[in-house]
Amino acid sequence: DQQVKQNSPSLSVQEGRISILNCDYTNSMFDYFLWYKKYPAEGPTFLISISSIKDKNEDGRFTVFLNKSAKHLSLHIVPSQPGDSAVYFCAASRKGAAGNKLTFGGGTRVLVKP
Amino acid sequence: DVKVTQSSRYLVKRTGEKVFLECVQDMDHENMFWYRQDPGLGLRLIYFSYDVKMKEKGDIPEGYSVSREKKERFSLILESASTNQTSMYLCASSFGHRLDTQYFGPGTRLTVL
């Protein structure tokens, strides 16, 4: 049973517009959330994170929103650029987890059209 | 700059063969991880290690084992490869705090025939 789900496997958006990626989780023990970005033939790279004590975190064009009551987070990319075309993974960390074990979602492939 | 390297980018093996995947990090990280990535399933944790000679099972350890004899090196072993182990294998490392970022290697695409 997937504890972190990304229900949209793909997303296509025009350059300059907003990309919105969604992620849902089921485990209420998750208290730290991350987004990773992956290009083909490369490993994922960290993009942005948010702690459960916040409901928003912003870094340049990237903003992550957390709605704890709905167990939902989203990543907004504004404005979208062709270089943003990649697969985006949502991940979560649980209180008490050994090391910094992460649980990942299935990923959303984003295509930004010029 | 953090560097995580994996011994092979592409590997083709036959069913029943023993397979070794090697991962090396150069940042003196305490934690190291092995994931497999499959379409629609995202990254699933196979094993991780938080210190030399220490290991813990992840979510899908069946059919795999690991070895960490030195801090910088973490090996994933498929004792008897099977076709359902055809996948992209990703190694990652991080410092020991729970909120520390994981840094990933480029991945090894393993095909088991």
Side-chain angles (χ1 to χ4, degrees), chain A residues 31-32 36 38 41 43-44 46 89 93-95 98-102 104-106, chain B residues 9 31 33 35 37 40 42-43 45 59 94 97-102 104-106:
Chain A
D31 68 343
Y32 185 65
Y36 276 79
K38 186 181 186 297
F46 169 75
F89 293 101
S93 172
R94 182 176 58 83
K95 277 183 265 195
N100 58 346
K101 180 182 169 183
L102 296 176
F104 284 83
Chain B
R9 295 302 299 272
N31 295 341
F33 307 83
Y35 294 89
Q37 181 196 351
L43 279 68
L45 182 64
D59 300 315
S94 73
H97 190 274
R98 184 168 79 90
L99 303 185
D100 287 321
T101 300
Q102 291 188 23
F104 284 83

PDB file of all heavy atoms in Angstrom, chain A residues 31-32 36 38 41 43-44 46 89 93-95 98-102 104-106, chain B residues 9 31 33 35 37 40 42-43 45 59 94 97-102 104-106:
ATOM      1  N   ASP A  31       6.244  14.020   8.959  1.00  0.00           N
ATOM      2  CA  ASP A  31       6.306  15.404   9.411  1.00  0.00           C
ATOM      3  C   ASP A  31       7.293  16.254   8.617  1.00  0.00           C
ATOM      4  O   ASP A  31       7.548  17.408   8.971  1.00  0.00           O
ATOM      5  CB  ASP A  31       6.637  15.466  10.901  1.00  0.00           C
ATOM      6  CG  ASP A  31       8.053  15.002  11.201  1.00  0.00           C
ATOM      7  OD1 ASP A  31       8.672  14.342  10.346  1.00  0.00           O
ATOM      8  OD2 ASP A  31       8.544  15.319  12.299  1.00  0.00           O
ATOM      9  N   TYR A  32       7.882  15.692   7.594  1.00  0.00           N
ATOM     10  CA  TYR A  32       8.825  16.445   6.766  1.00  0.00           C
ATOM     11  C   TYR A  32       8.672  15.930   5.351  1.00  0.00           C
ATOM     12  O   TYR A  32       8.671  14.717   5.122  1.00  0.00           O
ATOM     13  CB  TYR A  32      10.244  16.229   7.303  1.00  0.00           C
ATOM     14  CG  TYR A  32      11.317  17.041   6.623  1.00  0.00           C
ATOM     15  CD1 TYR A  32      11.320  18.434   6.720  1.00  0.00           C
ATOM     16  CD2 TYR A  32      12.338  16.437   5.915  1.00  0.00           C
ATOM     17  CE1 TYR A  32      12.305  19.184   6.116  1.00  0.00           C
ATOM     18  CE2 TYR A  32      13.334  17.177   5.313  1.00  0.00           C
ATOM     19  CZ  TYR A  32      13.312  18.557   5.420  1.00  0.00           C
ATOM     20  OH  TYR A  32      14.287  19.306   4.832  1.00  0.00           O
ATOM     21  N   TYR A  36      11.883  16.036  -5.122  1.00  0.00           N
ATOM     22  CA  TYR A  36      13.098  15.770  -5.873  1.00  0.00           C
ATOM     23  C   TYR A  36      12.751  15.854  -7.355  1.00  0.00           C
ATOM     24  O   TYR A  36      11.643  15.531  -7.779  1.00  0.00           O
ATOM     25  CB  TYR A  36      13.639  14.374  -5.562  1.00  0.00           C
ATOM     26  CG  TYR A  36      14.498  14.276  -4.327  1.00  0.00           C
ATOM     27  CD1 TYR A  36      13.933  14.219  -3.063  1.00  0.00           C
ATOM     28  CD2 TYR A  36      15.889  14.244  -4.434  1.00  0.00           C
ATOM     29  CE1 TYR A  36      14.726  14.130  -1.933  1.00  0.00           C
ATOM     30  CE2 TYR A  36      16.695  14.148  -3.303  1.00  0.00           C
ATOM     31  CZ  TYR A  36      16.094  14.088  -2.062  1.00  0.00           C
ATOM     32  OH  TYR A  36      16.892  14.000  -0.945  1.00  0.00           O
ATOM     33  N   LYS A  38      14.121  14.731 -11.282  1.00  0.00           N
ATOM     34  CA  LYS A  38      15.000  13.761 -11.946  1.00  0.00           C
ATOM     35  C   LYS A  38      14.955  13.941 -13.458  1.00  0.00           C
ATOM     36  O   LYS A  38      13.897  13.831 -14.079  1.00  0.00           O
ATOM     37  CB  LYS A  38      14.584  12.330 -11.580  1.00  0.00           C
ATOM     38  CG  LYS A  38      15.537  11.273 -12.126  1.00  0.00           C
ATOM     39  CD  LYS A  38      15.081   9.883 -11.775  1.00  0.00           C
ATOM     40  CE  LYS A  38      16.128   8.848 -12.199  1.00  0.00           C
ATOM     41  NZ  LYS A  38      16.343   8.823 -13.652  1.00  0.00           N
ATOM     42  N   ALA A  41      18.662   9.667 -17.211  1.00  0.00           N
ATOM     43  CA  ALA A  41      20.068   9.252 -17.096  1.00  0.00           C
ATOM     44  C   ALA A  41      20.813   9.979 -15.971  1.00  0.00           C
ATOM     45  O   ALA A  41      22.055   9.968 -15.937  1.00  0.00           O
ATOM     46  CB  ALA A  41      20.815   9.444 -18.414  1.00  0.00           C
ATOM     47  N   GLY A  43      20.627  10.880 -11.495  1.00  0.00           N
ATOM     48  CA  GLY A  43      19.940  10.603 -10.243  1.00  0.00           C
ATOM     49  C   GLY A  43      19.058  11.768  -9.842  1.00  0.00           C
ATOM     50  O   GLY A  43      19.248  12.891 -10.307  1.00  0.00           O
ATOM     51  N   PRO A  44      18.065  11.529  -8.977  1.00  0.00           N
ATOM     52  CA  PRO A  44      17.231  12.624  -8.476  1.00  0.00           C
ATOM     53  C   PRO A  44      18.073  13.657  -7.727  1.00  0.00           C
ATOM     54  O   PRO A  44      19.068  13.309  -7.085  1.00  0.00           O
ATOM     55  CB  PRO A  44      16.266  11.924  -7.522  1.00  0.00           C
ATOM     56  CG  PRO A  44      16.284  10.486  -7.915  1.00  0.00           C
ATOM     57  CD  PRO A  44      17.670  10.227  -8.427  1.00  0.00           C
ATOM     58  N   PHE A  46      17.657  17.063  -5.012  1.00  0.00           N
ATOM     59  CA  PHE A  46      16.757  17.730  -4.079  1.00  0.00           C
ATOM     60  C   PHE A  46      16.327  19.080  -4.639  1.00  0.00           C
ATOM     61  O   PHE A  46      17.132  19.846  -5.182  1.00  0.00           O
ATOM     62  CB  PHE A  46      17.477  17.917  -2.741  1.00  0.00           C
ATOM     63  CG  PHE A  46      16.753  18.816  -1.787  1.00  0.00           C
ATOM     64  CD1 PHE A  46      15.627  18.379  -1.125  1.00  0.00           C
ATOM     65  CD2 PHE A  46      17.195  20.110  -1.565  1.00  0.00           C
ATOM     66  CE1 PHE A  46      14.950  19.206  -0.241  1.00  0.00           C
ATOM     67  CE2 PHE A  46      16.528  20.951  -0.692  1.00  0.00           C
ATOM     68  CZ  PHE A  46      15.409  20.497  -0.032  1.00  0.00           C
ATOM     69  N   PHE A  89       9.461  13.837  -7.980  1.00  0.00           N
ATOM     70  CA  PHE A  89       9.048  12.893  -6.943  1.00  0.00           C
ATOM     71  C   PHE A  89       8.777  13.643  -5.646  1.00  0.00           C
ATOM     72  O   PHE A  89       9.593  14.454  -5.202  1.00  0.00           O
ATOM     73  CB  PHE A  89      10.142  11.854  -6.683  1.00  0.00           C
ATOM     74  CG  PHE A  89      10.386  10.915  -7.827  1.00  0.00           C
ATOM     75  CD1 PHE A  89      11.462  11.111  -8.684  1.00  0.00           C
ATOM     76  CD2 PHE A  89       9.547   9.843  -8.041  1.00  0.00           C
ATOM     77  CE1 PHE A  89      11.700  10.244  -9.741  1.00  0.00           C
ATOM     78  CE2 PHE A  89       9.777   8.962  -9.099  1.00  0.00           C
ATOM     79  CZ  PHE A  89      10.849   9.181  -9.945  1.00  0.00           C
ATOM     80  N   SER A  93       9.177  11.996   5.236  1.00  0.00           N
ATOM     81  CA  SER A  93       9.982  11.431   6.311  1.00  0.00           C
ATOM     82  C   SER A  93       9.125  11.334   7.577  1.00  0.00           C
ATOM     83  O   SER A  93       8.353  12.251   7.875  1.00  0.00           O
ATOM     84  CB  SER A  93      11.198  12.324   6.571  1.00  0.00           C
ATOM     85  OG  SER A  93      11.905  11.914   7.716  1.00  0.00           O
ATOM     86  N   ARG A  94       9.296  10.233   8.278  1.00  0.00           N
ATOM     87  CA  ARG A  94       8.446   9.968   9.444  1.00  0.00           C
ATOM     88  C   ARG A  94       9.197  10.222  10.734  1.00  0.00           C
ATOM     89  O   ARG A  94      10.372   9.885  10.855  1.00  0.00           O
ATOM     90  CB  ARG A  94       8.004   8.502   9.381  1.00  0.00           C
ATOM     91  CG  ARG A  94       7.099   8.035  10.459  1.00  0.00           C
ATOM     92  CD  ARG A  94       6.663   6.589  10.207  1.00  0.00           C
ATOM     93  NE  ARG A  94       7.758   5.654  10.107  1.00  0.00           N
ATOM     94  CZ  ARG A  94       8.381   5.094  11.136  1.00  0.00           C
ATOM     95  NH1 ARG A  94       8.021   5.415  12.367  1.00  0.00           N
ATOM     96  NH2 ARG A  94       9.362   4.234  10.942  1.00  0.00           N
ATOM     97  N   LYS A  95       8.519  10.767  11.705  1.00  0.00           N
ATOM     98  CA  LYS A  95       9.082  10.927  13.047  1.00  0.00           C
ATOM     99  C   LYS A  95       9.495   9.554  13.563  1.00  0.00           C
ATOM    100  O   LYS A  95       8.749   8.591  13.455  1.00  0.00           O
ATOM    101  CB  LYS A  95       8.012  11.495  13.989  1.00  0.00           C
ATOM    102  CG  LYS A  95       7.852  12.979  13.954  1.00  0.00           C
ATOM    103  CD  LYS A  95       6.828  13.428  14.987  1.00  0.00           C
ATOM    104  CE  LYS A  95       5.467  13.575  14.361  1.00  0.00           C
ATOM    105  NZ  LYS A  95       4.531  14.327  15.229  1.00  0.00           N
ATOM    106  N   ALA A  98      14.395   5.478  11.404  1.00  0.00           N
ATOM    107  CA  ALA A  98      15.837   5.299  11.527  1.00  0.00           C
ATOM    108  C   ALA A  98      16.544   6.041  10.412  1.00  0.00           C
ATOM    109  O   ALA A  98      16.051   6.094   9.279  1.00  0.00           O
ATOM    110  CB  ALA A  98      16.169   3.812  11.443  1.00  0.00           C
ATOM    111  N   GLY A  99      17.703   6.608  10.741  1.00  0.00           N
ATOM    112  CA  GLY A  99      18.446   7.361   9.738  1.00  0.00           C
ATOM    113  C   GLY A  99      17.576   8.465   9.191  1.00  0.00           C
ATOM    114  O   GLY A  99      16.855   9.108   9.942  1.00  0.00           O
ATOM    115  N   ASN A 100      17.601   8.705   7.908  1.00  0.00           N
ATOM    116  CA  ASN A 100      16.648   9.622   7.299  1.00  0.00           C
ATOM    117  C   ASN A 100      15.951   8.924   6.145  1.00  0.00           C
ATOM    118  O   ASN A 100      15.928   9.391   5.017  1.00  0.00           O
ATOM    119  CB  ASN A 100      17.283  10.943   6.889  1.00  0.00           C
ATOM    120  CG  ASN A 100      18.433  10.772   5.923  1.00  0.00           C
ATOM    121  OD1 ASN A 100      18.931   9.675   5.743  1.00  0.00           O
ATOM    122  ND2 ASN A 100      18.834  11.855   5.293  1.00  0.00           N
ATOM    123  N   LYS A 101      15.332   7.813   6.490  1.00  0.00           N
ATOM    124  CA  LYS A 101      14.595   7.024   5.526  1.00  0.00           C
ATOM    125  C   LYS A 101      13.443   7.834   4.941  1.00  0.00           C
ATOM    126  O   LYS A 101      12.703   8.493   5.670  1.00  0.00           O
ATOM    127  CB  LYS A 101      14.049   5.783   6.240  1.00  0.00           C
ATOM    128  CG  LYS A 101      13.255   4.851   5.388  1.00  0.00           C
ATOM    129  CD  LYS A 101      12.734   3.701   6.241  1.00  0.00           C
ATOM    130  CE  LYS A 101      11.696   2.905   5.453  1.00  0.00           C
ATOM    131  NZ  LYS A 101      11.103   1.832   6.249  1.00  0.00           N
ATOM    132  N   LEU A 102      13.312   7.811   3.626  1.00  0.00           N
ATOM    133  CA  LEU A 102      12.257   8.536   2.924  1.00  0.00           C
ATOM    134  C   LEU A 102      11.311   7.548   2.253  1.00  0.00           C
ATOM    135  O   LEU A 102      11.721   6.486   1.803  1.00  0.00           O
ATOM    136  CB  LEU A 102      12.849   9.461   1.862  1.00  0.00           C
ATOM    137  CG  LEU A 102      13.742  10.601   2.361  1.00  0.00           C
ATOM    138  CD1 LEU A 102      14.341  11.363   1.177  1.00  0.00           C
ATOM    139  CD2 LEU A 102      12.944  11.552   3.239  1.00  0.00           C
ATOM    140  N   PHE A 104       8.825   7.545  -1.014  1.00  0.00           N
ATOM    141  CA  PHE A 104       8.621   8.313  -2.242  1.00  0.00           C
ATOM    142  C   PHE A 104       7.279   7.993  -2.878  1.00  0.00           C
ATOM    143  O   PHE A 104       6.763   6.873  -2.784  1.00  0.00           O
ATOM    144  CB  PHE A 104       9.721   7.997  -3.254  1.00  0.00           C
ATOM    145  CG  PHE A 104      11.041   8.650  -2.964  1.00  0.00           C
ATOM    146  CD1 PHE A 104      11.930   8.077  -2.073  1.00  0.00           C
ATOM    147  CD2 PHE A 104      11.405   9.834  -3.593  1.00  0.00           C
ATOM    148  CE1 PHE A 104      13.154   8.673  -1.800  1.00  0.00           C
ATOM    149  CE2 PHE A 104      12.627  10.443  -3.335  1.00  0.00           C
ATOM    150  CZ  PHE A 104      13.498   9.863  -2.435  1.00  0.00           C
ATOM    151  N   GLY A 105       6.763   8.987  -3.592  1.00  0.00           N
ATOM    152  CA  GLY A 105       5.617   8.771  -4.459  1.00  0.00           C
ATOM    153  C   GLY A 105       6.056   8.229  -5.807  1.00  0.00           C
ATOM    154  O   GLY A 105       7.256   8.064  -6.059  1.00  0.00           O
ATOM    155  N   GLY A 106       5.090   7.975  -6.676  1.00  0.00           N
ATOM    156  CA  GLY A 106       5.363   7.342  -7.953  1.00  0.00           C
ATOM    157  C   GLY A 106       5.939   8.267  -9.015  1.00  0.00           C
ATOM    158  O   GLY A 106       6.408   7.798 -10.048  1.00  0.00           O
TER     159      GLY A 106
ATOM    160  N   ARG B   9      26.730   2.005 -15.461  1.00  0.00           N
ATOM    161  CA  ARG B   9      25.501   2.694 -15.876  1.00  0.00           C
ATOM    162  C   ARG B   9      24.491   1.686 -16.432  1.00  0.00           C
ATOM    163  O   ARG B   9      23.297   1.829 -16.234  1.00  0.00           O
ATOM    164  CB  ARG B   9      25.806   3.739 -16.940  1.00  0.00           C
ATOM    165  CG  ARG B   9      26.673   4.890 -16.446  1.00  0.00           C
ATOM    166  CD  ARG B   9      26.034   5.623 -15.270  1.00  0.00           C
ATOM    167  NE  ARG B   9      24.758   6.226 -15.587  1.00  0.00           N
ATOM    168  CZ  ARG B   9      24.626   7.450 -16.080  1.00  0.00           C
ATOM    169  NH1 ARG B   9      25.668   8.193 -16.314  1.00  0.00           N
ATOM    170  NH2 ARG B   9      23.417   7.933 -16.320  1.00  0.00           N
ATOM    171  N   ASN B  31      25.092   7.891   6.323  1.00  0.00           N
ATOM    172  CA  ASN B  31      24.004   7.068   5.780  1.00  0.00           C
ATOM    173  C   ASN B  31      24.203   6.777   4.306  1.00  0.00           C
ATOM    174  O   ASN B  31      24.604   7.656   3.538  1.00  0.00           O
ATOM    175  CB  ASN B  31      22.662   7.798   5.933  1.00  0.00           C
ATOM    176  CG  ASN B  31      22.264   7.993   7.378  1.00  0.00           C
ATOM    177  OD1 ASN B  31      22.768   7.319   8.271  1.00  0.00           O
ATOM    178  ND2 ASN B  31      21.336   8.910   7.606  1.00  0.00           N
ATOM    179  N   PHE B  33      22.110   4.444   1.016  1.00  0.00           N
ATOM    180  CA  PHE B  33      20.820   3.832   0.687  1.00  0.00           C
ATOM    181  C   PHE B  33      20.877   3.173  -0.688  1.00  0.00           C
ATOM    182  O   PHE B  33      21.585   3.653  -1.585  1.00  0.00           O
ATOM    183  CB  PHE B  33      19.723   4.918   0.606  1.00  0.00           C
ATOM    184  CG  PHE B  33      19.618   5.797   1.817  1.00  0.00           C
ATOM    185  CD1 PHE B  33      20.468   6.880   1.962  1.00  0.00           C
ATOM    186  CD2 PHE B  33      18.669   5.549   2.789  1.00  0.00           C
ATOM    187  CE1 PHE B  33      20.381   7.712   3.076  1.00  0.00           C
ATOM    188  CE2 PHE B  33      18.570   6.364   3.907  1.00  0.00           C
ATOM    189  CZ  PHE B  33      19.429   7.454   4.043  1.00  0.00           C
ATOM    190  N   TYR B  35      17.991   2.119  -3.604  1.00  0.00           N
ATOM    191  CA  TYR B  35      16.604   2.153  -4.051  1.00  0.00           C
ATOM    192  C   TYR B  35      16.516   1.468  -5.413  1.00  0.00           C
ATOM    193  O   TYR B  35      17.486   1.402  -6.155  1.00  0.00           O
ATOM    194  CB  TYR B  35      16.132   3.594  -4.278  1.00  0.00           C
ATOM    195  CG  TYR B  35      16.050   4.481  -3.063  1.00  0.00           C
ATOM    196  CD1 TYR B  35      17.151   5.225  -2.648  1.00  0.00           C
ATOM    197  CD2 TYR B  35      14.856   4.604  -2.360  1.00  0.00           C
ATOM    198  CE1 TYR B  35      17.062   6.066  -1.540  1.00  0.00           C
ATOM    199  CE2 TYR B  35      14.759   5.454  -1.255  1.00  0.00           C
ATOM    200  CZ  TYR B  35      15.872   6.170  -0.863  1.00  0.00           C
ATOM    201  OH  TYR B  35      15.773   7.001   0.229  1.00  0.00           O
ATOM    202  N   GLN B  37      13.981   1.976  -8.891  1.00  0.00           N
ATOM    203  CA  GLN B  37      12.961   2.835  -9.475  1.00  0.00           C
ATOM    204  C   GLN B  37      12.256   2.082 -10.585  1.00  0.00           C
ATOM    205  O   GLN B  37      12.903   1.610 -11.528  1.00  0.00           O
ATOM    206  CB  GLN B  37      13.582   4.114 -10.054  1.00  0.00           C
ATOM    207  CG  GLN B  37      12.560   5.057 -10.645  1.00  0.00           C
ATOM    208  CD  GLN B  37      13.173   6.112 -11.547  1.00  0.00           C
ATOM    209  OE1 GLN B  37      14.395   6.267 -11.625  1.00  0.00           O
ATOM    210  NE2 GLN B  37      12.341   6.863 -12.230  1.00  0.00           N
ATOM    211  N   GLY B  40       5.763   4.202 -12.319  1.00  0.00           N
ATOM    212  CA  GLY B  40       4.534   4.260 -11.537  1.00  0.00           C
ATOM    213  C   GLY B  40       4.696   3.937 -10.066  1.00  0.00           C
ATOM    214  O   GLY B  40       3.813   4.222  -9.260  1.00  0.00           O
ATOM    215  N   GLY B  42       7.662   4.777  -8.376  1.00  0.00           N
ATOM    216  CA  GLY B  42       8.608   5.700  -7.780  1.00  0.00           C
ATOM    217  C   GLY B  42       9.859   4.992  -7.303  1.00  0.00           C
ATOM    218  O   GLY B  42      10.288   3.987  -7.874  1.00  0.00           O
ATOM    219  N   LEU B  43      10.451   5.533  -6.253  1.00  0.00           N
ATOM    220  CA  LEU B  43      11.655   4.938  -5.675  1.00  0.00           C
ATOM    221  C   LEU B  43      11.239   4.131  -4.445  1.00  0.00           C
ATOM    222  O   LEU B  43      10.556   4.635  -3.559  1.00  0.00           O
ATOM    223  CB  LEU B  43      12.633   6.031  -5.237  1.00  0.00           C
ATOM    224  CG  LEU B  43      13.519   6.665  -6.295  1.00  0.00           C
ATOM    225  CD1 LEU B  43      12.723   7.496  -7.274  1.00  0.00           C
ATOM    226  CD2 LEU B  43      14.608   7.509  -5.646  1.00  0.00           C
ATOM    227  N   LEU B  45      12.742   1.773  -1.278  1.00  0.00           N
ATOM    228  CA  LEU B  45      13.968   1.534  -0.525  1.00  0.00           C
ATOM    229  C   LEU B  45      14.190   0.036  -0.342  1.00  0.00           C
ATOM    230  O   LEU B  45      13.319  -0.677   0.166  1.00  0.00           O
ATOM    231  CB  LEU B  45      13.881   2.224   0.836  1.00  0.00           C
ATOM    232  CG  LEU B  45      15.105   2.118   1.723  1.00  0.00           C
ATOM    233  CD1 LEU B  45      16.301   2.827   1.089  1.00  0.00           C
ATOM    234  CD2 LEU B  45      14.811   2.721   3.100  1.00  0.00           C
ATOM    235  N   ASP B  59      11.908  -1.299   2.411  1.00  0.00           N
ATOM    236  CA  ASP B  59      10.557  -1.771   2.145  1.00  0.00           C
ATOM    237  C   ASP B  59      10.504  -3.035   1.296  1.00  0.00           C
ATOM    238  O   ASP B  59       9.545  -3.794   1.365  1.00  0.00           O
ATOM    239  CB  ASP B  59       9.753  -0.651   1.455  1.00  0.00           C
ATOM    240  CG  ASP B  59       9.671   0.584   2.327  1.00  0.00           C
ATOM    241  OD1 ASP B  59       9.403   0.432   3.538  1.00  0.00           O
ATOM    242  OD2 ASP B  59       9.886   1.697   1.813  1.00  0.00           O
ATOM    243  N   SER B  94      23.827  10.396   2.697  1.00  0.00           N
ATOM    244  CA  SER B  94      23.508  11.632   3.421  1.00  0.00           C
ATOM    245  C   SER B  94      24.236  11.627   4.755  1.00  0.00           C
ATOM    246  O   SER B  94      24.718  10.579   5.224  1.00  0.00           O
ATOM    247  CB  SER B  94      21.998  11.727   3.666  1.00  0.00           C
ATOM    248  OG  SER B  94      21.605  10.811   4.667  1.00  0.00           O
ATOM    249  N   HIS B  97      21.748  13.183  10.268  1.00  0.00           N
ATOM    250  CA  HIS B  97      20.526  13.761  10.820  1.00  0.00           C
ATOM    251  C   HIS B  97      19.333  13.434   9.941  1.00  0.00           C
ATOM    252  O   HIS B  97      19.436  13.383   8.717  1.00  0.00           O
ATOM    253  CB  HIS B  97      20.664  15.281  10.959  1.00  0.00           C
ATOM    254  CG  HIS B  97      19.541  15.906  11.724  1.00  0.00           C
ATOM    255  ND1 HIS B  97      18.358  16.288  11.124  1.00  0.00           N
ATOM    256  CD2 HIS B  97      19.410  16.180  13.038  1.00  0.00           C
ATOM    257  CE1 HIS B  97      17.557  16.792  12.037  1.00  0.00           C
ATOM    258  NE2 HIS B  97      18.169  16.744  13.214  1.00  0.00           N
ATOM    259  N   ARG B  98      18.164  13.269  10.565  1.00  0.00           N
ATOM    260  CA  ARG B  98      16.964  12.837   9.844  1.00  0.00           C
ATOM    261  C   ARG B  98      16.586  13.804   8.724  1.00  0.00           C
ATOM    262  O   ARG B  98      16.014  13.408   7.716  1.00  0.00           O
ATOM    263  CB  ARG B  98      15.800  12.680  10.816  1.00  0.00           C
ATOM    264  CG  ARG B  98      14.536  12.137  10.162  1.00  0.00           C
ATOM    265  CD  ARG B  98      13.525  11.737  11.202  1.00  0.00           C
ATOM    266  NE  ARG B  98      12.795  12.858  11.748  1.00  0.00           N
ATOM    267  CZ  ARG B  98      11.660  13.325  11.253  1.00  0.00           C
ATOM    268  NH1 ARG B  98      11.161  12.813  10.140  1.00  0.00           N
ATOM    269  NH2 ARG B  98      11.037  14.324  11.848  1.00  0.00           N
ATOM    270  N   LEU B  99      16.890  15.079   8.882  1.00  0.00           N
ATOM    271  CA  LEU B  99      16.456  16.054   7.882  1.00  0.00           C
ATOM    272  C   LEU B  99      17.537  16.361   6.844  1.00  0.00           C
ATOM    273  O   LEU B  99      17.360  17.232   5.996  1.00  0.00           O
ATOM    274  CB  LEU B  99      16.018  17.348   8.567  1.00  0.00           C
ATOM    275  CG  LEU B  99      14.912  17.195   9.615  1.00  0.00           C
ATOM    276  CD1 LEU B  99      14.487  18.570  10.120  1.00  0.00           C
ATOM    277  CD2 LEU B  99      13.716  16.444   9.051  1.00  0.00           C
ATOM    278  N   ASP B 100      18.645  15.640   6.908  1.00  0.00           N
ATOM    279  CA  ASP B 100      19.701  15.894   5.935  1.00  0.00           C
ATOM    280  C   ASP B 100      19.313  15.398   4.547  1.00  0.00           C
ATOM    281  O   ASP B 100      18.686  14.350   4.396  1.00  0.00           O
ATOM    282  CB  ASP B 100      21.008  15.224   6.378  1.00  0.00           C
ATOM    283  CG  ASP B 100      21.655  15.941   7.539  1.00  0.00           C
ATOM    284  OD1 ASP B 100      21.629  17.189   7.542  1.00  0.00           O
ATOM    285  OD2 ASP B 100      22.171  15.263   8.434  1.00  0.00           O
ATOM    286  N   THR B 101      19.745  16.162   3.555  1.00  0.00           N
ATOM    287  CA  THR B 101      19.423  15.841   2.167  1.00  0.00           C
ATOM    288  C   THR B 101      20.122  14.571   1.721  1.00  0.00           C
ATOM    289  O   THR B 101      21.292  14.354   2.032  1.00  0.00           O
ATOM    290  CB  THR B 101      19.870  17.012   1.264  1.00  0.00           C
ATOM    291  OG1 THR B 101      19.187  18.188   1.674  1.00  0.00           O
ATOM    292  CG2 THR B 101      19.575  16.727  -0.206  1.00  0.00           C
ATOM    293  N   GLN B 102      19.397  13.753   0.961  1.00  0.00           N
ATOM    294  CA  GLN B 102      20.011  12.594   0.326  1.00  0.00           C
ATOM    295  C   GLN B 102      20.513  12.991  -1.057  1.00  0.00           C
ATOM    296  O   GLN B 102      19.819  13.648  -1.815  1.00  0.00           O
ATOM    297  CB  GLN B 102      18.996  11.461   0.197  1.00  0.00           C
ATOM    298  CG  GLN B 102      18.604  10.844   1.542  1.00  0.00           C
ATOM    299  CD  GLN B 102      17.751   9.609   1.413  1.00  0.00           C
ATOM    300  OE1 GLN B 102      17.760   8.939   0.380  1.00  0.00           O
ATOM    301  NE2 GLN B 102      17.019   9.286   2.468  1.00  0.00           N
ATOM    302  N   PHE B 104      22.012  11.564  -4.673  1.00  0.00           N
ATOM    303  CA  PHE B 104      21.891  10.335  -5.454  1.00  0.00           C
ATOM    304  C   PHE B 104      22.992  10.188  -6.494  1.00  0.00           C
ATOM    305  O   PHE B 104      23.491  11.171  -7.050  1.00  0.00           O
ATOM    306  CB  PHE B 104      20.546  10.315  -6.194  1.00  0.00           C
ATOM    307  CG  PHE B 104      19.388   9.985  -5.308  1.00  0.00           C
ATOM    308  CD1 PHE B 104      18.780  10.973  -4.539  1.00  0.00           C
ATOM    309  CD2 PHE B 104      18.895   8.689  -5.227  1.00  0.00           C
ATOM    310  CE1 PHE B 104      17.707  10.678  -3.709  1.00  0.00           C
ATOM    311  CE2 PHE B 104      17.816   8.380  -4.409  1.00  0.00           C
ATOM    312  CZ  PHE B 104      17.227   9.373  -3.645  1.00  0.00           C
ATOM    313  N   GLY B 105      23.334   8.934  -6.763  1.00  0.00           N
ATOM    314  CA  GLY B 105      24.178   8.615  -7.895  1.00  0.00           C
ATOM    315  C   GLY B 105      23.363   8.602  -9.177  1.00  0.00           C
ATOM    316  O   GLY B 105      22.131   8.768  -9.139  1.00  0.00           O
ATOM    317  N   PRO B 106      24.012   8.376 -10.337  1.00  0.00           N
ATOM    318  CA  PRO B 106      23.312   8.440 -11.620  1.00  0.00           C
ATOM    319  C   PRO B 106      22.450   7.225 -11.931  1.00  0.00           C
ATOM    320  O   PRO B 106      21.643   7.266 -12.851  1.00  0.00           O
ATOM    321  CB  PRO B 106      24.463   8.549 -12.634  1.00  0.00           C
ATOM    322  CG  PRO B 106      25.608   7.892 -11.957  1.00  0.00           C
ATOM    323  CD  PRO B 106      25.450   8.176 -10.499  1.00  0.00           C
TER     324      PRO B 106
END
